[in-house]
Amino acid sequence: MNSMKRNIETYILAKDGNRPHLMVEAFAKDAELSMLVKTGDIAFPSAVFGRDAIESVLVRQFAAQYENVYTFCITDAPSETGVFVCDWLVCMTEKATGAVRLGFGEYEWTGDAGLISRLKITIEEMLVLDNDLAAPLLAWAETRPYPWCTLDQLIQDLPPIDALQRITLVLAEQGRI
């Protein structure tokens, strides 16, 4: 039986690394995904049902558009629990343009029988930044603990990118981390 920690790590590895075959190790066959997107800079369906459909949306379609993906769960790894909530931050580049994407939000994971049965993703913001910010942002991301990263670890050696500094400030003010 998988742990919540392992399921989340497997999902992030599948999504960030374009490894759809791993989704069977993280999600129940009849899993549900709900998404609340609070920005117009990225689009996802509001609800997806079944592991195969979730795999299509969050791994295959996502990987067709984005690369150099780093997703950080801004917390310590979970202990065994049925529901786990954490903030997240993602940085990545668009395959077509090379533009940098920087976003954040909240994950709410629900697990039973060793697999994830429900995932709610809230996207608070997804910024599109200039291509010239890719090198410093990705160099910084590469040095962060991955995928579990506390806010203190996240803000260490923060590059002078206004959007990143503002997002980490918002995350700190939310008080969940």
Side-chain angles (χ1 to χ4, degrees):
M1 185 157 89
N2 287 347
S3 67
M4 180 70 77
K5 175 183 180 287
R6 169 111 168 101
N7 290 339
I8 294 169
E9 290 170 351
T10 301
Y11 159 72
I12 290 174
L13 182 62
K15 179 185 69 70
D16 289 4
N18 187 20
R19 295 179 178 97
H21 71 281
L22 295 177
M23 293 292 276
V24 70
E25 297 176 28
F27 284 86
K29 185 168 183 55
D30 60 348
E32 298 177 16
L33 168 68
S34 63
M35 297 195 70
L36 176 58
V37 181
K38 298 181 177 182
T39 177
D41 290 322
I42 198 163
F44 285 100
S46 61
V48 179
F49 300 96
R51 179 179 53 226
D52 292 344
I54 294 170
E55 174 187 302
S56 178
V57 169
L58 294 182
V59 181
R60 295 181 191 280
Q61 293 172 31
F62 185 83
Q65 296 180 33
Y66 305 106
E67 61 189 358
N68 302 311
V69 182
Y70 290 88
T71 303
F72 300 99
C73 293
I74 308 171
T75 186
D76 293 319
S79 57
E80 283 315 299
T81 180
V83 177
F84 180 71
V85 178
C86 70
D87 289 316
W88 57 264
L89 179 129
V90 67
C91 55
M92 58 195 174
T93 56
E94 294 178 359
K95 284 185 174 181
T97 67
V100 178
R101 292 286 188 127
L102 180 65
F104 75 98
E106 181 182 85
Y107 284 135
E108 182 179 318
W109 307 87
T110 303
D112 60 4
L115 295 171
I116 297 165
S117 58
R118 191 176 65 213
L119 171 58
K120 179 181 178 186
I121 302 174
T122 301
I123 301 176
E124 294 288 341
E125 193 163 10
M126 183 60 67
L127 303 171
V128 181
L129 307 175
D130 292 335
N131 298 28
D132 61 346
L133 296 177
L137 185 63
L138 295 173
W140 166 81
E142 187 177 25
T143 64
R144 302 303 91 201
Y146 178 83
W148 308 106
C149 189
T150 66
L151 183 62
D152 287 342
Q153 293 168 324
L154 195 71
I155 63 174
Q156 261 185 341
D157 305 318
L158 205 61
I161 298 171
D162 290 342
L164 179 59
Q165 293 176 352
R166 186 182 55 74
I167 286 172
T168 57
L169 183 61
V170 169
L171 289 167
E173 288 174 352
Q174 289 177 346
R176 289 192 300 261
I177 50 178

Short mmCIF file of all heavy atoms in Angstrom, two decimals, residues 61-126:
data_model
loop_
_atom_site.label_atom_id
_atom_site.label_comp_id
_atom_site.label_asym_id
_atom_site.label_seq_id
_atom_site.Cartn_x
_atom_site.Cartn_y
_atom_site.Cartn_z
N GLN A 61 -1.37 16.23 -21.97
CA GLN A 61 -1.67 17.55 -22.55
C GLN A 61 -0.76 18.62 -21.96
O GLN A 61 -0.29 19.51 -22.68
CB GLN A 61 -3.14 17.91 -22.32
CG GLN A 61 -4.10 17.02 -23.09
CD GLN A 61 -5.55 17.26 -22.71
OE1 GLN A 61 -5.94 18.37 -22.36
NE2 GLN A 61 -6.36 16.20 -22.77
N PHE A 62 -0.49 18.53 -20.67
CA PHE A 62 0.40 19.47 -19.99
C PHE A 62 1.79 19.41 -20.62
O PHE A 62 2.39 20.44 -20.94
CB PHE A 62 0.43 19.14 -18.50
CG PHE A 62 1.20 20.11 -17.66
CD1 PHE A 62 0.63 21.29 -17.23
CD2 PHE A 62 2.51 19.82 -17.28
CE1 PHE A 62 1.35 22.18 -16.44
CE2 PHE A 62 3.23 20.70 -16.50
CZ PHE A 62 2.65 21.88 -16.08
N ALA A 63 2.31 18.19 -20.80
CA ALA A 63 3.66 18.01 -21.33
C ALA A 63 3.76 18.43 -22.79
O ALA A 63 4.86 18.75 -23.27
CB ALA A 63 4.10 16.56 -21.18
N ALA A 64 2.66 18.46 -23.50
CA ALA A 64 2.69 18.93 -24.89
C ALA A 64 2.97 20.43 -24.96
O ALA A 64 3.46 20.92 -25.97
CB ALA A 64 1.36 18.60 -25.58
N GLN A 65 2.68 21.15 -23.88
CA GLN A 65 2.84 22.61 -23.87
C GLN A 65 4.02 23.11 -23.05
O GLN A 65 4.55 24.18 -23.34
CB GLN A 65 1.57 23.26 -23.32
CG GLN A 65 0.35 23.03 -24.17
CD GLN A 65 -0.87 23.70 -23.55
OE1 GLN A 65 -0.76 24.75 -22.93
NE2 GLN A 65 -2.01 23.08 -23.72
N TYR A 66 4.41 22.36 -22.01
CA TYR A 66 5.39 22.88 -21.05
C TYR A 66 6.56 21.92 -20.87
O TYR A 66 6.43 20.71 -21.00
CB TYR A 66 4.73 23.14 -19.70
CG TYR A 66 3.54 24.06 -19.82
CD1 TYR A 66 2.25 23.58 -19.73
CD2 TYR A 66 3.73 25.42 -20.09
CE1 TYR A 66 1.16 24.44 -19.86
CE2 TYR A 66 2.64 26.27 -20.24
CZ TYR A 66 1.36 25.77 -20.13
OH TYR A 66 0.28 26.61 -20.29
N GLU A 67 7.72 22.49 -20.50
CA GLU A 67 8.91 21.72 -20.20
C GLU A 67 9.68 22.41 -19.09
O GLU A 67 9.29 23.49 -18.64
CB GLU A 67 9.78 21.55 -21.45
CG GLU A 67 10.28 22.85 -22.04
CD GLU A 67 10.94 22.68 -23.40
OE1 GLU A 67 11.07 21.55 -23.89
OE2 GLU A 67 11.35 23.71 -23.97
N ASN A 68 10.75 21.79 -18.63
CA ASN A 68 11.55 22.35 -17.54
C ASN A 68 10.67 22.65 -16.33
O ASN A 68 10.77 23.71 -15.72
CB ASN A 68 12.29 23.62 -18.00
CG ASN A 68 13.19 23.38 -19.17
OD1 ASN A 68 13.98 22.44 -19.16
ND2 ASN A 68 13.07 24.19 -20.20
N VAL A 69 9.82 21.70 -15.97
CA VAL A 69 8.81 21.91 -14.94
C VAL A 69 9.39 21.53 -13.57
O VAL A 69 9.93 20.44 -13.39
CB VAL A 69 7.55 21.07 -15.22
CG1 VAL A 69 6.48 21.33 -14.16
CG2 VAL A 69 7.02 21.35 -16.62
N TYR A 70 9.22 22.45 -12.62
CA TYR A 70 9.57 22.21 -11.22
C TYR A 70 8.35 22.56 -10.38
O TYR A 70 7.96 23.73 -10.33
CB TYR A 70 10.75 23.09 -10.78
CG TYR A 70 12.06 22.72 -11.40
CD1 TYR A 70 12.45 23.26 -12.63
CD2 TYR A 70 12.93 21.84 -10.76
CE1 TYR A 70 13.66 22.93 -13.20
CE2 TYR A 70 14.15 21.50 -11.33
CZ TYR A 70 14.51 22.05 -12.55
OH TYR A 70 15.72 21.72 -13.11
N THR A 71 7.77 21.56 -9.73
CA THR A 71 6.64 21.77 -8.84
C THR A 71 7.10 21.53 -7.41
O THR A 71 7.63 20.46 -7.11
CB THR A 71 5.47 20.83 -9.17
OG1 THR A 71 5.10 21.02 -10.53
CG2 THR A 71 4.28 21.09 -8.26
N PHE A 72 6.86 22.50 -6.56
CA PHE A 72 7.26 22.40 -5.16
C PHE A 72 6.02 22.38 -4.27
O PHE A 72 5.15 23.25 -4.39
CB PHE A 72 8.14 23.58 -4.75
CG PHE A 72 9.40 23.67 -5.56
CD1 PHE A 72 9.48 24.54 -6.63
CD2 PHE A 72 10.48 22.86 -5.26
CE1 PHE A 72 10.64 24.62 -7.39
CE2 PHE A 72 11.64 22.93 -6.01
CZ PHE A 72 11.73 23.81 -7.09
N CYS A 73 5.93 21.40 -3.39
CA CYS A 73 4.94 21.38 -2.33
C CYS A 73 5.59 22.11 -1.16
O CYS A 73 6.61 21.65 -0.63
CB CYS A 73 4.59 19.95 -1.94
SG CYS A 73 3.73 19.05 -3.25
N ILE A 74 5.01 23.22 -0.77
CA ILE A 74 5.68 24.11 0.18
C ILE A 74 5.29 23.72 1.60
O ILE A 74 4.47 24.35 2.26
CB ILE A 74 5.34 25.58 -0.14
CG1 ILE A 74 5.64 25.84 -1.61
CG2 ILE A 74 6.16 26.51 0.75
CD1 ILE A 74 5.15 27.17 -2.10
N THR A 75 5.91 22.65 2.03
CA THR A 75 5.65 22.08 3.35
C THR A 75 6.60 20.91 3.56
O THR A 75 7.31 20.50 2.64
CB THR A 75 4.18 21.60 3.45
OG1 THR A 75 3.92 21.19 4.78
CG2 THR A 75 3.89 20.46 2.50
N ASP A 76 6.55 20.36 4.73
CA ASP A 76 7.22 19.08 4.97
C ASP A 76 6.34 17.98 4.40
O ASP A 76 5.12 18.14 4.27
CB ASP A 76 7.44 18.87 6.47
CG ASP A 76 8.44 19.86 7.05
OD1 ASP A 76 9.46 20.14 6.39
OD2 ASP A 76 8.20 20.34 8.17
N ALA A 77 6.93 16.86 4.07
CA ALA A 77 6.18 15.73 3.54
C ALA A 77 5.13 15.28 4.57
O ALA A 77 5.36 15.37 5.78
CB ALA A 77 7.12 14.58 3.22
N PRO A 78 3.98 14.79 4.09
CA PRO A 78 2.91 14.41 5.02
C PRO A 78 3.19 13.12 5.75
O PRO A 78 3.90 12.24 5.27
CB PRO A 78 1.70 14.23 4.09
CG PRO A 78 2.30 13.80 2.79
CD PRO A 78 3.60 14.56 2.69
N SER A 79 2.61 13.03 6.94
CA SER A 79 2.56 11.74 7.61
C SER A 79 1.29 11.07 7.08
O SER A 79 0.57 11.63 6.26
CB SER A 79 2.50 11.93 9.12
OG SER A 79 1.38 12.74 9.45
N GLU A 80 1.02 9.89 7.54
CA GLU A 80 -0.16 9.19 7.03
C GLU A 80 -1.42 9.93 7.42
O GLU A 80 -1.65 10.22 8.58
CB GLU A 80 -0.19 7.76 7.56
CG GLU A 80 0.76 6.86 6.83
CD GLU A 80 0.73 7.03 5.32
OE1 GLU A 80 -0.33 6.80 4.70
OE2 GLU A 80 1.75 7.41 4.74
N THR A 81 -2.19 10.26 6.43
CA THR A 81 -3.41 11.02 6.64
C THR A 81 -4.34 10.76 5.47
O THR A 81 -3.89 10.45 4.37
CB THR A 81 -3.09 12.52 6.76
OG1 THR A 81 -4.30 13.24 6.95
CG2 THR A 81 -2.38 13.07 5.54
N GLY A 82 -5.63 10.89 5.67
CA GLY A 82 -6.58 10.70 4.59
C GLY A 82 -6.73 11.92 3.72
O GLY A 82 -7.04 11.83 2.53
N VAL A 83 -6.50 13.11 4.30
CA VAL A 83 -6.59 14.36 3.56
C VAL A 83 -5.35 15.18 3.86
O VAL A 83 -4.95 15.32 5.02
CB VAL A 83 -7.86 15.16 3.94
CG1 VAL A 83 -7.90 16.50 3.21
CG2 VAL A 83 -9.12 14.37 3.67
N PHE A 84 -4.75 15.71 2.82
CA PHE A 84 -3.54 16.51 2.98
C PHE A 84 -3.66 17.76 2.11
O PHE A 84 -3.95 17.67 0.92
CB PHE A 84 -2.30 15.70 2.56
CG PHE A 84 -1.01 16.45 2.71
CD1 PHE A 84 -0.50 16.74 3.96
CD2 PHE A 84 -0.32 16.88 1.59
CE1 PHE A 84 0.69 17.44 4.10
CE2 PHE A 84 0.87 17.58 1.72
CZ PHE A 84 1.38 17.86 2.97
N VAL A 85 -3.44 18.93 2.72
CA VAL A 85 -3.55 20.21 2.02
C VAL A 85 -2.20 20.91 2.10
O VAL A 85 -1.58 20.96 3.17
CB VAL A 85 -4.65 21.10 2.66
CG1 VAL A 85 -4.73 22.45 1.97
CG2 VAL A 85 -6.00 20.39 2.64
N CYS A 86 -1.76 21.45 0.96
CA CYS A 86 -0.51 22.22 0.97
C CYS A 86 -0.52 23.23 -0.16
O CYS A 86 -1.21 23.07 -1.16
CB CYS A 86 0.71 21.31 0.86
SG CYS A 86 0.95 20.52 -0.74
N ASP A 87 0.27 24.29 0.03
CA ASP A 87 0.50 25.25 -1.03
C ASP A 87 1.52 24.66 -1.99
O ASP A 87 2.31 23.79 -1.62
CB ASP A 87 1.04 26.56 -0.45
CG ASP A 87 -0.01 27.32 0.33
OD1 ASP A 87 -1.16 27.42 -0.13
OD2 ASP A 87 0.31 27.81 1.43
N TRP A 88 1.49 25.13 -3.22
CA TRP A 88 2.46 24.71 -4.22
C TRP A 88 2.93 25.91 -5.03
O TRP A 88 2.26 26.93 -5.10
CB TRP A 88 1.91 23.63 -5.15
CG TRP A 88 0.65 24.02 -5.89
CD1 TRP A 88 -0.63 23.73 -5.52
CD2 TRP A 88 0.55 24.77 -7.10
NE1 TRP A 88 -1.52 24.27 -6.43
CE2 TRP A 88 -0.82 24.91 -7.41
CE3 TRP A 88 1.48 25.36 -7.96
CZ2 TRP A 88 -1.28 25.60 -8.54
CZ3 TRP A 88 1.03 26.04 -9.08
CH2 TRP A 88 -0.34 26.15 -9.35
N LEU A 89 4.10 25.76 -5.61
CA LEU A 89 4.66 26.74 -6.53
C LEU A 89 5.23 25.97 -7.71
O LEU A 89 5.84 24.91 -7.52
CB LEU A 89 5.76 27.56 -5.86
CG LEU A 89 6.42 28.60 -6.77
CD1 LEU A 89 6.43 29.96 -6.08
CD2 LEU A 89 7.82 28.20 -7.14
N VAL A 90 5.00 26.47 -8.91
CA VAL A 90 5.55 25.83 -10.10
C VAL A 90 6.27 26.86 -10.95
O VAL A 90 5.85 28.02 -11.04
CB VAL A 90 4.46 25.12 -10.94
CG1 VAL A 90 3.49 26.11 -11.56
CG2 VAL A 90 5.06 24.23 -12.01
N CYS A 91 7.40 26.46 -11.51
CA CYS A 91 8.05 27.26 -12.54
C CYS A 91 8.36 26.32 -13.69
O CYS A 91 8.67 25.14 -13.49
CB CYS A 91 9.28 28.00 -12.02
SG CYS A 91 10.52 26.99 -11.24
N MET A 92 8.23 26.86 -14.91
CA MET A 92 8.38 26.04 -16.11
C MET A 92 8.53 26.96 -17.30
O MET A 92 8.39 28.18 -17.18
CB MET A 92 7.16 25.14 -16.28
CG MET A 92 5.85 25.87 -16.37
SD MET A 92 4.46 24.75 -16.13
CE MET A 92 3.09 25.91 -16.13
N THR A 93 8.80 26.37 -18.46
CA THR A 93 8.86 27.15 -19.69
C THR A 93 7.86 26.59 -20.69
O THR A 93 7.52 25.41 -20.66
CB THR A 93 10.28 27.15 -20.29
OG1 THR A 93 10.71 25.80 -20.49
CG2 THR A 93 11.26 27.88 -19.40
N GLU A 94 7.41 27.48 -21.57
CA GLU A 94 6.52 27.07 -22.66
C GLU A 94 7.37 26.49 -23.78
O GLU A 94 8.37 27.09 -24.18
CB GLU A 94 5.74 28.27 -23.20
CG GLU A 94 4.77 28.86 -22.22
CD GLU A 94 4.05 30.08 -22.78
OE1 GLU A 94 4.31 30.49 -23.94
OE2 GLU A 94 3.22 30.63 -22.04
N LYS A 95 6.98 25.34 -24.29
CA LYS A 95 7.74 24.73 -25.38
C LYS A 95 7.73 25.60 -26.63
O LYS A 95 8.74 25.73 -27.31
CB LYS A 95 7.16 23.35 -25.71
CG LYS A 95 7.52 22.28 -24.72
CD LYS A 95 7.02 20.94 -25.18
CE LYS A 95 7.53 19.85 -24.24
NZ LYS A 95 7.08 18.51 -24.67
N ALA A 96 6.60 26.17 -26.96
CA ALA A 96 6.46 26.91 -28.22
C ALA A 96 7.23 28.23 -28.24
O ALA A 96 7.77 28.61 -29.27
CB ALA A 96 4.98 27.16 -28.51
N THR A 97 7.28 28.92 -27.10
CA THR A 97 7.84 30.27 -27.09
C THR A 97 9.08 30.43 -26.22
O THR A 97 9.80 31.42 -26.36
CB THR A 97 6.80 31.27 -26.58
OG1 THR A 97 6.53 31.00 -25.20
CG2 THR A 97 5.51 31.21 -27.40
N GLY A 98 9.29 29.52 -25.28
CA GLY A 98 10.37 29.67 -24.32
C GLY A 98 10.03 30.58 -23.16
O GLY A 98 10.84 30.77 -22.26
N ALA A 99 8.82 31.16 -23.18
CA ALA A 99 8.40 32.04 -22.09
C ALA A 99 8.36 31.29 -20.77
O ALA A 99 8.07 30.09 -20.73
CB ALA A 99 7.02 32.65 -22.39
N VAL A 100 8.65 32.00 -19.70
CA VAL A 100 8.64 31.42 -18.37
C VAL A 100 7.24 31.51 -17.79
O VAL A 100 6.56 32.53 -17.93
CB VAL A 100 9.63 32.17 -17.45
CG1 VAL A 100 9.61 31.61 -16.04
CG2 VAL A 100 11.03 32.12 -18.02
N ARG A 101 6.81 30.45 -17.14
CA ARG A 101 5.56 30.44 -16.38
C ARG A 101 5.92 30.28 -14.92
O ARG A 101 6.74 29.46 -14.54
CB ARG A 101 4.68 29.26 -16.80
CG ARG A 101 4.13 29.35 -18.21
CD ARG A 101 3.04 30.39 -18.26
NE ARG A 101 2.35 30.38 -19.53
CZ ARG A 101 1.04 30.30 -19.65
NH1 ARG A 101 0.26 30.21 -18.59
NH2 ARG A 101 0.48 30.32 -20.83
N LEU A 102 5.26 31.07 -14.08
CA LEU A 102 5.46 31.02 -12.64
C LEU A 102 4.08 31.09 -12.00
O LEU A 102 3.33 32.04 -12.25
CB LEU A 102 6.33 32.19 -12.18
CG LEU A 102 6.64 32.29 -10.69
CD1 LEU A 102 7.48 31.10 -10.24
CD2 LEU A 102 7.37 33.59 -10.40
N GLY A 103 3.73 30.07 -11.23
CA GLY A 103 2.40 30.03 -10.64
C GLY A 103 2.41 29.45 -9.25
O GLY A 103 3.39 28.84 -8.81
N PHE A 104 1.27 29.65 -8.57
CA PHE A 104 1.12 29.06 -7.24
C PHE A 104 -0.35 28.83 -6.95
O PHE A 104 -1.23 29.37 -7.61
CB PHE A 104 1.77 29.94 -6.17
CG PHE A 104 0.99 31.18 -5.82
CD1 PHE A 104 0.16 31.20 -4.70
CD2 PHE A 104 1.07 32.33 -6.60
CE1 PHE A 104 -0.56 32.34 -4.37
CE2 PHE A 104 0.37 33.47 -6.27
CZ PHE A 104 -0.46 33.48 -5.16
N GLY A 105 -0.57 28.01 -5.93
CA GLY A 105 -1.93 27.71 -5.52
C GLY A 105 -1.92 26.72 -4.37
O GLY A 105 -1.00 26.70 -3.56
N GLU A 106 -2.96 25.89 -4.37
CA GLU A 106 -3.14 24.94 -3.27
C GLU A 106 -3.54 23.58 -3.83
O GLU A 106 -4.33 23.49 -4.77
CB GLU A 106 -4.23 25.44 -2.33
CG GLU A 106 -4.47 24.53 -1.13
CD GLU A 106 -5.59 25.04 -0.26
OE1 GLU A 106 -6.77 24.74 -0.57
OE2 GLU A 106 -5.29 25.74 0.72
N TYR A 107 -2.99 22.55 -3.24
CA TYR A 107 -3.40 21.16 -3.49
C TYR A 107 -4.21 20.68 -2.29
O TYR A 107 -3.84 20.96 -1.14
CB TYR A 107 -2.19 20.22 -3.58
CG TYR A 107 -1.38 20.26 -4.84
CD1 TYR A 107 0.01 20.29 -4.77
CD2 TYR A 107 -1.97 20.20 -6.10
CE1 TYR A 107 0.80 20.28 -5.91
CE2 TYR A 107 -1.20 20.19 -7.25
CZ TYR A 107 0.19 20.23 -7.15
OH TYR A 107 0.96 20.21 -8.28
N GLU A 108 -5.25 19.92 -2.55
CA GLU A 108 -5.95 19.18 -1.51
C GLU A 108 -6.08 17.74 -1.98
O GLU A 108 -6.79 17.45 -2.93
CB GLU A 108 -7.34 19.77 -1.24
CG GLU A 108 -8.07 19.03 -0.12
CD GLU A 108 -9.43 19.62 0.18
OE1 GLU A 108 -9.56 20.86 0.21
OE2 GLU A 108 -10.36 18.81 0.39
N TRP A 109 -5.36 16.86 -1.32
CA TRP A 109 -5.28 15.45 -1.68
C TRP A 109 -6.17 14.64 -0.75
O TRP A 109 -6.13 14.83 0.46
CB TRP A 109 -3.85 14.95 -1.51
CG TRP A 109 -2.81 15.75 -2.21
CD1 TRP A 109 -2.15 16.84 -1.72
CD2 TRP A 109 -2.30 15.53 -3.51
NE1 TRP A 109 -1.25 17.30 -2.64
CE2 TRP A 109 -1.32 16.52 -3.75
CE3 TRP A 109 -2.57 14.59 -4.50
CZ2 TRP A 109 -0.61 16.58 -4.94
CZ3 TRP A 109 -1.86 14.66 -5.69
CH2 TRP A 109 -0.90 15.65 -5.89
N THR A 110 -6.90 13.69 -1.30
CA THR A 110 -7.67 12.74 -0.50
C THR A 110 -7.27 11.34 -0.97
O THR A 110 -7.25 11.07 -2.18
CB THR A 110 -9.19 12.94 -0.70
OG1 THR A 110 -9.51 14.29 -0.36
CG2 THR A 110 -9.98 11.99 0.17
N GLY A 111 -6.94 10.49 -0.01
CA GLY A 111 -6.49 9.16 -0.37
C GLY A 111 -7.20 8.09 0.41
O GLY A 111 -7.58 8.28 1.57
N ASP A 112 -7.43 6.98 -0.25
CA ASP A 112 -7.96 5.80 0.40
C ASP A 112 -7.43 4.57 -0.32
O ASP A 112 -7.03 4.65 -1.47
CB ASP A 112 -9.49 5.81 0.43
CG ASP A 112 -10.12 5.87 -0.96
OD1 ASP A 112 -9.39 5.81 -1.96
OD2 ASP A 112 -11.34 5.96 -1.03
N ALA A 113 -7.41 3.46 0.34
CA ALA A 113 -6.93 2.20 -0.24
C ALA A 113 -5.54 2.33 -0.87
O ALA A 113 -5.23 1.67 -1.83
CB ALA A 113 -7.94 1.67 -1.26
N GLY A 114 -4.74 3.24 -0.30
CA GLY A 114 -3.37 3.36 -0.76
C GLY A 114 -3.16 4.23 -1.98
O GLY A 114 -2.03 4.43 -2.40
N LEU A 115 -4.22 4.76 -2.59
CA LEU A 115 -4.08 5.60 -3.76
C LEU A 115 -4.88 6.89 -3.58
O LEU A 115 -5.77 6.97 -2.74
CB LEU A 115 -4.57 4.86 -5.02
CG LEU A 115 -3.77 3.63 -5.43
CD1 LEU A 115 -4.48 2.88 -6.54
CD2 LEU A 115 -2.36 4.00 -5.85
N ILE A 116 -4.59 7.88 -4.41
CA ILE A 116 -5.32 9.14 -4.36
C ILE A 116 -6.69 8.93 -4.99
O ILE A 116 -6.79 8.46 -6.12
CB ILE A 116 -4.55 10.24 -5.10
CG1 ILE A 116 -3.21 10.50 -4.40
CG2 ILE A 116 -5.37 11.52 -5.21
CD1 ILE A 116 -2.23 11.29 -5.22
N SER A 117 -7.73 9.29 -4.26
CA SER A 117 -9.09 9.16 -4.79
C SER A 117 -9.63 10.50 -5.29
O SER A 117 -10.52 10.53 -6.15
CB SER A 117 -10.03 8.59 -3.73
OG SER A 117 -10.04 9.42 -2.58
N ARG A 118 -9.08 11.60 -4.76
CA ARG A 118 -9.55 12.91 -5.18
C ARG A 118 -8.42 13.91 -5.04
O ARG A 118 -7.68 13.91 -4.05
CB ARG A 118 -10.74 13.35 -4.35
CG ARG A 118 -11.42 14.60 -4.92
CD ARG A 118 -12.65 14.98 -4.15
NE ARG A 118 -12.23 15.37 -2.81
CZ ARG A 118 -12.94 15.18 -1.71
NH1 ARG A 118 -14.11 14.59 -1.77
NH2 ARG A 118 -12.49 15.56 -0.55
N LEU A 119 -8.31 14.79 -6.03
CA LEU A 119 -7.34 15.88 -5.99
C LEU A 119 -8.07 17.15 -6.38
O LEU A 119 -8.71 17.21 -7.43
CB LEU A 119 -6.18 15.63 -6.94
CG LEU A 119 -5.19 16.78 -7.16
CD1 LEU A 119 -4.55 17.24 -5.85
CD2 LEU A 119 -4.12 16.38 -8.18
N LYS A 120 -7.97 18.15 -5.51
CA LYS A 120 -8.49 19.48 -5.83
C LYS A 120 -7.29 20.39 -5.99
O LYS A 120 -6.45 20.49 -5.09
CB LYS A 120 -9.40 20.00 -4.72
CG LYS A 120 -9.93 21.39 -5.01
CD LYS A 120 -10.82 21.90 -3.89
CE LYS A 120 -11.27 23.32 -4.21
NZ LYS A 120 -12.00 23.92 -3.10
N ILE A 121 -7.21 21.04 -7.15
CA ILE A 121 -6.11 21.97 -7.42
C ILE A 121 -6.70 23.36 -7.57
O ILE A 121 -7.61 23.57 -8.38
CB ILE A 121 -5.35 21.60 -8.71
CG1 ILE A 121 -4.78 20.18 -8.62
CG2 ILE A 121 -4.24 22.63 -8.98
CD1 ILE A 121 -4.13 19.70 -9.91
N THR A 122 -6.19 24.28 -6.78
CA THR A 122 -6.54 25.69 -6.93
C THR A 122 -5.33 26.39 -7.52
O THR A 122 -4.21 26.26 -7.00
CB THR A 122 -6.92 26.32 -5.58
OG1 THR A 122 -8.02 25.61 -5.03
CG2 THR A 122 -7.30 27.79 -5.75
N ILE A 123 -5.55 27.11 -8.61
CA ILE A 123 -4.49 27.92 -9.22
C ILE A 123 -4.81 29.37 -8.91
O ILE A 123 -5.75 29.93 -9.47
CB ILE A 123 -4.38 27.68 -10.74
CG1 ILE A 123 -4.10 26.20 -11.02
CG2 ILE A 123 -3.29 28.57 -11.34
CD1 ILE A 123 -4.08 25.84 -12.50
N GLU A 124 -4.05 29.94 -8.01
CA GLU A 124 -4.26 31.33 -7.62
C GLU A 124 -3.75 32.28 -8.70
O GLU A 124 -4.39 33.28 -9.00
CB GLU A 124 -3.54 31.64 -6.30
CG GLU A 124 -4.09 30.92 -5.10
CD GLU A 124 -5.45 31.43 -4.66
OE1 GLU A 124 -5.83 32.57 -5.01
OE2 GLU A 124 -6.14 30.68 -3.94
N GLU A 125 -2.59 31.97 -9.22
CA GLU A 125 -1.97 32.84 -10.20
C GLU A 125 -1.06 32.01 -11.10
O GLU A 125 -0.43 31.05 -10.64
CB GLU A 125 -1.16 33.93 -9.49
CG GLU A 125 -0.73 35.05 -10.37
CD GLU A 125 -0.31 36.29 -9.57
OE1 GLU A 125 -0.16 36.22 -8.34
OE2 GLU A 125 -0.14 37.32 -10.21
N MET A 126 -0.98 32.38 -12.38
CA MET A 126 -0.05 31.77 -13.32
C MET A 126 0.46 32.88 -14.22
O MET A 126 -0.23 33.33 -15.13
CB MET A 126 -0.73 30.68 -14.15
CG MET A 126 0.19 29.96 -15.10
SD MET A 126 1.58 29.10 -14.33
CE MET A 126 0.74 27.82 -13.41
#
